[in-house]
Amino acid sequence: MDKFEKLTGIAAPLPLVNVDTDMIIPKQFLKTIKRTGLGVNLFDEMRYDEQGNEIADFVLNQPAYRQAEILIAGENFGCGSSREHAPWAIRDFGIRCIVAPGFADIFFNNCFKNGILPVVLPQEQVDILMKDAEKGANARMIVDLETQTITTSDGVEIGFDVDPFRKHCLLEGLDDIGLTLEKAPAIAGFEARMAQERPWI
Amino acid sequence: MTGKTLYDKIWDAHLVDQAEDGTCLLYIDRHLVHEVTSPQAFEGLRMSGRKVHAPDKTIAVPDHNVPTTEGRENTANMTEESRIQVEALDRNAREFGIHYYPVTDIRQGIVHIVGPEQGWTLPGMTVVCGDSHTATHGAFGALAHGIGTSEVEHVLATQTLIQKKSKNMKVEITGQLPPYVTAKDITLAVIGLTGTAGGTGYVIEYCGQAIRDLSMEGRMTVCNMAIEGGARAGLIAPDEKTFAYVMGRPHAPKGAQWEAALSWWKTLKSDDDAHWDKVVTIRAEDIAPVVTWGTSPEDVLPITGQVPDPSEFQGGKVEAARRSLDYMGLTPGMKLTDIKVDAVFIGSCTNGRIEDLRAAADILRGRKLAPGVRGMVVPGSGLVRAQAEEEGLDTVFKQAGFEWRLAGCSMCLGMNPDQLAPGERCAATSNRNFEGRMGRGGRTHLMSPVMAAAAAVTGHLTDVREFVAETV
Ligand code: SF4
């Protein structure tokens, strides 16, 4: 997995609540058997009309935000389907950090597995970032995972919390499966015990 | 010392390792797999030269993408992309030696219906699947939740999952449900009350008389939509109904093992002095048949209500409600019962079980679809379909003018050709009314099977209680 350390980039404002994973990547793009290539279809039905033409006022179609690497969003981002195609599409588009007042559980987990940092902040602070993002391409934010801060284009610094284990994995680009396989003896021990205690499983 | 909740007990019984910061390694008893969220995970195993750690605990079935029309065993009848995924699952299941129910097997169906039906899901287990509606299995007192594809790969390779413990929420439904108010109404009413993010960070345990009174099918409907309330999982403590449902299923324990299992299962309930981080109580008598009006499952109202005005909401929800109404083509103040429908969908992992089909057929017997309305019934599994045919339910549906399909997810997410056309409005027994979920521009109103059946006959959203009173 790619490391995530420090990111300086354009932030796109998406002030909608309950953005679900069906909106992030509609089902017709779930038929792939690969993880890459989904970026062009990110937010497909909001981004393109039925003829496949770009809808000019959708945020990621605006010239200022076509290169966005940060997304500022509303409450309960990523709710609904567990499809990891959602973070894959976001990552493939080039976004590596999402800030919102809250995320749905499965989506939140999926982000970390794909080198995306989801940041939860109180609504007032999200509002500050949303305002800053609305300034467009001149407003570059800095997301620093090491110091756990986001700095707006005006130099306002906002701290955030992140789970220490997940922070470590993102900073080092560690693969969960490799880490867990180091615990193979504990897993084998558990299985041996269960074969006695709950043999029907 | 305070007691433990059911969630605490199952969690403790599956803990392999706990790090100092509270990150846990949890053992997974059952891993269910379908064709849409697994190809990348198997590919990951191949690339790193890893095997499936416990193929015996891994069960695969294609459901999301498969056609529900006759002749589907011939993959030439699938769209190119569906075929690629279904064939990938066939190949992965064979190569990695996991249990598999292909479309040619009568036991094939929606993964969350097949698991319980075959006795793979048992009380006290941990169950995961790359699908958010895995919460369904919580009806058995199993800790069950959806995971992403990276986690699917993690479970395939290690039979464990890295987890942090959630908080405990108790949702108690007291008293008795009124006639024609169903499990679907309970679960939608709870989401209407708590919101789609109300359960975030929690595992919900549903309890109370109205939950006890539900059949196992009804309990699965309730737990199925726990995720729509944002919860990691929904649970219902196992009882005699659970044990009776499980007994004799193909993969349930037998003989001495059954006795041993049963004595453990009987301990699986929350202690009286357990600590709850949040408690919600609803009187069953206060629940009316409900429908959704918007594009989020929290947009719930009793059928007697009116389409709300966005200005009634607060914060970001004002804009969301405005957007919803625009998408749904509805005007504030309109009576819900004046909303006309073009299509009716009965099926999905929420309401595709035999009891659901019986309930809908009872309303439809001797009646017809309203002119211009199309209807589709998609049983949740091949066995549900066979059972329904044995009871003659297929004839009831067909005579009413419904299409009688083969098992799968179908219109619930419209990955196969079963879709709504732009602007088409559907009364659906599924679980998500998101924009474009059932087809681009399609409009979904969620409701129970009896409510969907009543709407099918009248051609508009209908209070099933009045419908029954007026038409007997
Ligand atoms: S029926 Fe619908 S909700 Fe259930 S598993 Fe299939 S697609 Fe998901």
Side-chain angles (χ1 to χ4, degrees):
Chain A
M1 196 177 72
D2 295 345
K3 292 183 184 183
F4 186 109
E5 291 160 333
K6 191 168 173 176
L7 172 70
T8 305
I10 297 162
L14 188 71
L16 278 179
V17 299
N18 296 333
V19 170
D20 58 68
T21 53
D22 279 69
M23 276 157 112
I24 297 172
I25 186 83
K27 66 211 158 227
Q28 58 270 34
F29 307 107
L30 306 189
K31 293 185 178 173
T32 172
I33 55 171
K34 298 196 301 253
R35 293 176 201 238
T36 49
L38 289 164
V40 285
N41 304 112
L42 175 66
F43 292 115
D44 195 84
E45 290 178 6
M46 298 161 87
R47 213 163 132 206
Y48 307 103
D49 66 16
E50 268 155 72
Q51 285 70 48
N53 303 312
E54 285 190 4
I55 297 170
D57 58 352
F58 182 68
V59 60
L60 298 181
N61 289 335
Q62 297 171 21
Y65 300 111
R66 300 182 87 95
Q67 310 295 328
E69 291 175 83
I70 302 163
L71 190 67
I72 317 288
E75 173 63 21
N76 199 29
F77 189 87
C79 58
S81 156
S82 63
R83 56 187 71 165
E84 199 161 317
H85 308 69
W88 294 337
I90 289 171
R91 183 74 180 78
D92 197 59
F93 179 88
I95 291 170
R96 297 209 59 192
C97 173
I98 309 168
V99 184
F103 291 88
D105 196 42
I106 301 175
F107 177 83
F108 189 74
N109 280 325
N110 283 343
C111 282
F112 286 102
K113 318 269 178 205
N114 291 285
I116 300 170
L117 174 66
V119 175
V120 181
L121 286 175
Q123 185 71 52
E124 308 81 64
Q125 295 186 326
V126 174
D127 291 344
I128 295 173
L129 296 177
M130 193 72 77
K131 279 233 159 57
D132 196 50
E134 281 162 4
K135 292 181 191 161
N138 299 326
R140 286 178 180 259
M141 286 185 199
I142 303 166
V143 182
D144 190 337
L145 179 56
E146 183 60 56
T147 62
Q148 297 181 209
T149 55
I150 300 181
T151 312
T152 67
S153 62
D154 311 325
V156 178
E157 196 178 277
I158 294 174
F160 62 85
D161 281 339
V162 56
D163 177 87
F165 174 71
R166 285 170 156 158
K167 174 178 176 178
H168 172 70
C169 291
L170 268 185
L171 285 172
E172 303 296 327
L174 292 177
D175 158 29
D176 278 357
I177 298 178
L179 288 176
T180 299
L181 285 174
E182 288 171 12
K183 300 197 174 129
I187 299 172
F190 182 90
E191 286 178 325
R193 194 149 57 78
M194 282 312 114
Q196 299 297 316
E197 281 178 28
R198 299 201 289 268
W200 61 87
I201 290 169
Chain B
M1 211 182 90
T2 48
K4 288 178 172 187
T5 62
L6 172 56
Y7 171 49
D8 298 336
K9 291 182 186 181
I10 303 176
W11 178 274
D12 291 349
H14 291 86
L15 202 55
V16 175
D17 185 62
Q18 179 159 12
E20 269 174 30
D21 68 351
T23 305
C24 294
L25 200 60
L26 213 57
Y27 195 79
I28 301 303
D29 294 326
R30 289 288 179 265
H31 186 190
L32 309 175
V33 174
H34 66 79
E35 78 278 23
V36 177
T37 55
S38 67
Q40 293 86 350
F42 285 111
E43 198 51 36
L45 287 188
R46 255 186 221 107
M47 278 168 11
S48 47
R50 290 171 179 145
K51 286 197 181 55
V52 174
H53 179 86
D56 242 19
K57 296 171 179 165
T58 313
I59 300 99
V61 58
D63 56 1
H64 281 61
N65 236 326
V66 296
T68 57
T69 39
E70 301 288 346
R72 65 180 181 178
E73 55 291 342
N74 179 356
T75 51
N77 291 334
M78 293 186 190
T79 61
E80 158 103 14
E81 289 150 317
S82 298
R83 191 176 63 239
I84 291 172
Q85 276 191 345
V86 172
E87 286 176 349
L89 189 64
D90 283 356
R91 191 178 58 243
N92 289 330
R94 233 179 308 117
E95 185 179 325
F96 290 96
I98 62 182
H99 299 278
Y100 187 51
Y101 303 103
V103 286
T104 48
D105 191 316
I106 190 171
R107 296 166 297 179
Q108 178 271 347
I110 305 171
V111 64
H112 308 308
I113 292 188
V114 173
E117 213 168 60
Q118 293 302 316
W120 290 116
T121 308
L122 300 171
M125 280 185 161
T126 45
V127 180
V128 296
C129 174
D131 187 280
S132 53
H133 293 99
T134 311
T136 313
H137 308 265
F140 291 81
L143 178 59
H145 57 86
I147 54 178
T149 299
S150 296
E151 289 177 315
V152 169
E153 186 179 339
H154 190 279
V155 177
L156 288 172
T158 69
Q159 204 57 28
T160 63
L161 203 56
I162 300 172
Q163 288 278 291
K164 277 223 164 150
K165 204 167 170 200
S166 305
K167 290 181 281 183
N168 279 290
M169 185 192 308
K170 173 158 101 170
V171 173
E172 188 176 16
I173 316 291
T174 62
Q176 266 186 316
L177 285 176
Y180 297 100
V181 181
T182 68
K184 182 66 163 285
D185 301 297
I186 293 183
T187 202
L188 281 170
V190 172
I191 299 162
L193 193 72
T194 59
T196 48
T200 305
Y202 292 94
V203 164
I204 295 177
E205 181 175 339
Y206 299 95
C207 59
Q209 191 56 43
I211 298 290
R212 290 278 138 243
D213 288 347
L214 291 175
S215 64
M216 287 312 294
E217 282 84 354
R219 294 179 190 182
M220 284 187 252
T221 303
V222 171
C223 289
N224 174 275
M225 290 193 73
I227 178 71
E228 252 52 70
R232 165 142 330 153
L235 281 172
I236 294 174
D239 60 10
E240 293 304 324
K241 273 187 198 166
T242 322
F243 309 143
Y245 180 100
V246 168
M247 197 162 100
R249 304 247 158 208
H251 297 279
K254 313 256 159 17
Q257 291 211 352
W258 170 264
E259 295 305 325
L262 196 62
S263 66
W264 185 57
W265 293 345
K266 287 183 174 168
T267 67
L268 295 175
K269 48 177 166 250
S270 293
D271 298 328
D272 292 336
D273 57 346
H275 169 76
W276 300 95
D277 300 288
K278 190 166 169 181
V279 178
V280 173
T281 309
I282 301 180
R283 284 169 18 114
E285 290 79 6
D286 294 341
I287 303 177
V290 287
V291 295
T292 60
W293 53 267
T295 55
S296 163
E298 71 188 5
D299 300 339
V300 172
L301 280 175
I303 181 66
T304 49
Q306 296 170 348
V307 175
D309 195 309
S311 64
E312 292 166 24
F313 298 96
Q314 278 169 0
K317 188 71 192 168
V318 178
E319 173 58 18
R322 196 201 50 72
R323 191 185 158 92
S324 279
L325 291 188
D326 191 41
Y327 181 87
M328 294 296 290
L330 297 174
T331 350
M334 185 178 177
K335 277 168 69 180
L336 293 173
T337 48
D338 285 342
I339 298 175
K340 293 206 163 48
V341 298
D342 308 302
V344 176
F345 169 66
I346 297 175
S348 90
C349 59
T350 316
N351 286 123
R353 283 170 285 269
I354 187 69
E355 186 183 278
D356 302 310
L357 301 193
R358 285 183 193 136
D362 273 347
I363 300 288
L364 291 167
R365 197 165 280 119
R367 301 197 171 102
K368 290 228 175 296
L369 274 167
V373 176
R374 65 175 176 127
M376 193 188 278
V377 185
V378 187
S381 72
L383 290 174
V384 168
R385 184 177 144 101
Q387 174 70 29
E389 288 180 352
E390 203 179 299
E391 297 176 20
L393 306 183
D394 59 323
T395 317
V396 175
F397 289 120
K398 285 187 228 164
Q399 284 178 351
F402 276 82
E403 287 184 62
W404 177 246
R405 294 295 190 93
L406 299 172
C409 294
S410 179
M411 224 192 234
C412 174
L413 91 165
M415 272 190 78
N416 64 7
D418 308 347
Q419 295 193 3
L420 294 180
E424 213 180 358
R425 188 182 299 281
C426 183
T429 65
S430 48
N431 45 50
R432 285 192 176 135
N433 50 350
F434 298 158
E435 283 181 25
R437 169 83 178 179
M438 299 177 77
R440 184 171 185 143
R443 296 161 169 164
T444 307
H445 295 276
L446 303 177
M447 63 196 75
S448 71
V450 286
M451 286 285 286
V457 177
T458 62
H460 54 83
L461 302 190
T462 299
D463 188 336
V464 62
R465 296 167 301 183
E466 285 174 17
F467 176 83
V468 174
E470 280 164 17
T471 51
V472 277

